[in-house]
Amino acid sequence: MARCATGKRTQEEEGPRGGVPQGVPDAEPPPEGRQPPALASNVGALTLLSRHPNLLIAPVILFCLIVALCSFGIVHATNASYNLEGQQAQDAAVSAADGIAMQLSSAFKAALSMAAVVRMNPNWSFLESNSPVLTKELFRQSNNEGNLGITELTFAPFGRVRLNYGVPFTRNLSADLFSPEFANDYDPYRSLTLRGLTVNGPVPLTNQEDRAFTARYPIFIPDANEDESWGNPDNITHPTGCPGPPCYNPKTREKWWGFIGALVNAEPLLAGDNVHLKRLLSDDLSYSLTTSFLAGTNGPGTLVSGGSNPGKVTANVTVNLPGTSWALSVHNPRQDQILKLRDGLLAMVVVAAFILSALLLLLLLSAKRASVLLQEQLVTNKLLQEEKVSREALLGRQFDLIACFEQTTKRSRNLSKSKLSDGQLNTLDRIATARAAISDMTP
């Protein structure tokens, strides 16, 4: 409590007449303090993010983890499925190629069987008299192997066709395979060079619109004279334009007798009417059967193709045929669907990862804003506490001042109110009112 001066008050203590004593203020201004900070709720997300860029770390890590892990799983799964479909196409291509090769080889076995008979007895009169019985049995065996059955079996001594046994009838032809008219399509010198069974075609048949695959087997007879004819019906001793090698070797005395040829109708295979090709289509596979030596073009060409995308290749296998090279290409469209599915899933993963990362970023921003608000609230509470202490100190000073006036008032009570001036009475009333107000404010 502040000291109160005793004795008679001076005019300065008493103040002007009719007013309050000097030192009793009408209103005390509040103590000066710090202003509370601006609320974080008024701060935008971008501004808050620029102040705290470390909030981006967790969303970026989440985005990378989701994309990396999901992409790894998707790529691994789709690659396994892709490779499985590729293996299925490879297996189907191998099965079809082996089936086609077996069909053609079975049909052309008749030529090899008849060539063995010619080696045993190359005399033309023997062959002409016994060949009908032999060829009938060979036709029966070959045509039971499948839809690529043999249609004609040909004897061509010195390259000139003289006996032609066919189904359903036999044709009498005299075509010279070494003549310019047939040499380009049938290429006899190629068969002589390979000295084995050669498959050629498809070639057009004489006087017919159909095409056929041809198989020719050159027969060489050892220990023969250069002028040996074996009773040739044309009374010739060598083919047209080939008196020496490779038709006759004077050192080894090996002479070429001629060809045993076989024809297989190519139209069913060229039209795709083949059990192995149809199986590829039933498995939703596209195919393309090509040859490295197409008759008439002396180059590669396509024999037959089928399916929706024959130009695409999933698996490529070789059709093993003697003296030629065929290739069967197979495409599996399910692989394209797998790739499209993979791309769609990867895009979906990226979008989902972005959405989840954005939600995490919003959650972190919300948590950060709440944290900043809490810190600002603590600062505001601290300022309010300081202001409360200042106010309580002010009230304490006011109580001390009132106590001083009460002591003065006690000394004045002995005086008669009639002796007090109006200003002194007014001052006493105001002091009593202020005291009551302060008492009401005190808890």
Side-chain angles (χ1 to χ4, degrees):
M1 181 181 294
R3 293 185 187 177
C4 295
T6 58
K8 187 178 181 179
R9 292 180 300 164
T10 63
Q11 181 69 25
E12 293 178 357
E13 293 172 343
E14 197 173 284
R17 184 171 296 276
V20 297
Q22 188 175 356
V24 183
D26 290 334
E28 180 78 15
E32 296 182 358
R34 292 177 295 174
Q35 296 295 326
L39 295 178
S41 58
N42 298 328
V43 179
L46 294 178
T47 303
L48 189 62
L49 189 61
S50 63
R51 294 178 182 177
H52 306 279
N54 56 337
L55 296 176
L56 288 172
I57 296 177
V60 170
I61 293 176
L62 178 63
F63 178 83
C64 295
L65 285 177
I66 293 176
V67 172
L69 295 178
C70 294
S71 298
F72 174 78
I74 291 173
V75 171
H76 180 74
T78 53
N79 283 345
S81 180
Y82 184 89
N83 294 333
L84 179 61
E85 295 294 341
Q87 186 60 45
Q88 291 178 351
Q90 179 73 22
D91 295 341
V94 171
S95 177
D98 292 344
I100 293 174
M102 185 175 296
Q103 285 179 333
L104 288 172
S105 299
S106 298
F108 295 144
K109 284 180 181 179
L112 298 177
S113 300
M114 187 59 69
V117 175
V118 174
R119 281 200 188 94
M120 182 180 64
N121 189 349
N123 189 274
W124 181 252
S125 59
F126 170 80
L127 297 174
E128 188 176 20
S129 60
N130 293 282
S131 58
V133 178
L134 297 175
T135 53
K136 183 178 180 180
E137 179 62 20
L138 292 176
F139 269 73
R140 185 188 66 81
Q141 295 177 3
S142 298
N143 290 337
N144 288 336
E145 299 294 338
N147 63 344
L148 292 180
I150 187 173
T151 58
E152 291 185 0
L153 191 62
T154 304
F155 291 81
F158 296 134
R160 296 187 179 186
V161 178
R162 285 307 176 196
L163 288 178
N164 192 342
Y165 296 94
V167 175
F169 55 86
T170 299
R171 297 184 298 164
N172 293 320
L173 300 176
S174 60
D176 186 358
L177 300 182
F178 285 84
S179 65
E181 181 183 357
F182 299 101
N184 186 42
D185 289 338
Y186 291 90
D187 195 12
Y189 286 101
R190 179 166 169 264
S191 299
L192 290 176
T193 302
L194 294 175
R195 297 179 64 88
L197 183 68
T198 58
V199 177
N200 196 18
V203 296
L205 298 178
T206 305
N207 299 326
Q208 294 188 29
E209 296 181 355
D210 293 339
R211 291 171 294 175
F213 297 113
T214 65
R216 290 188 305 275
Y217 188 81
I219 303 173
F220 292 89
I221 305 298
D223 196 21
N225 296 324
E226 184 178 358
D227 59 351
E228 180 65 58
S229 65
W230 295 289
N232 189 281
D234 293 327
N235 295 320
I236 58 176
T237 59
H238 58 80
T240 304
C242 187
C247 297
Y248 179 75
N249 189 340
K251 294 182 179 180
T252 61
R253 300 185 71 239
E254 185 181 56
K255 188 172 184 179
W256 177 60
W257 179 90
F259 289 123
I260 293 295
L263 295 182
V264 172
N265 187 11
E267 294 302 327
L269 181 63
L270 298 180
D273 186 13
N274 183 274
V275 60
H276 303 290
L277 298 180
K278 288 181 178 179
R279 185 179 295 116
L280 294 177
L281 295 179
S282 65
D283 293 337
D284 196 22
L285 300 175
S286 302
Y287 66 87
S288 177
L289 183 62
T290 60
T291 176
S292 61
F293 187 84
L294 186 63
T297 63
N298 294 327
T302 301
L303 298 175
V304 61
S305 60
S308 57
N309 293 298
K312 295 184 178 181
V313 178
T314 300
N316 189 33
V317 297
T318 300
V319 181
N320 295 317
L321 294 174
T324 188
S325 178
W326 286 9
L328 179 62
S329 301
V330 174
H331 172 66
N332 191 343
R334 289 183 291 273
Q335 286 188 321
D336 298 335
Q337 298 174 2
I338 291 173
L339 294 179
K340 293 179 180 179
L341 177 62
R342 182 192 64 184
D343 295 340
L345 291 176
L346 290 177
M348 184 178 67
V349 165
V350 172
V351 173
F354 178 79
I355 293 175
L356 293 177
S357 300
L359 292 176
L360 178 60
L361 180 59
L362 293 176
L363 181 61
L364 293 176
L365 286 174
S366 177
K368 191 64 179 179
R369 181 180 285 110
S371 176
V372 172
L373 285 173
L374 178 60
Q375 295 296 328
E376 292 177 353
Q377 188 63 42
L378 293 176
V379 172
T380 302
N381 292 342
K382 184 177 180 181
L383 294 177
L384 293 175
Q385 183 65 25
E386 293 176 355
E387 185 176 358
K388 178 182 178 182
V389 172
S390 177
R391 295 281 184 180
E392 289 178 351
L394 177 60
L395 289 176
R397 290 196 299 271
Q398 294 290 344
F399 276 121
D400 292 342
L401 182 58
I402 291 172
C404 292
F405 281 110
E406 285 181 348
Q407 293 178 7
T408 305
T409 303
K410 289 178 181 179
R411 291 194 299 267
S412 302
R413 285 177 181 174
N414 296 326
L415 299 177
S416 175
K417 290 186 179 181
S418 60
K419 294 181 180 181
L420 296 177
S421 63
D422 294 335
Q424 291 175 338
L425 293 174
N426 188 23
T427 299
L428 293 175
D429 292 337
R430 292 180 64 184
I431 290 174
T433 302
R435 181 180 180 185
I438 294 173
S439 299
D440 294 337
M441 293 176 60
T442 304

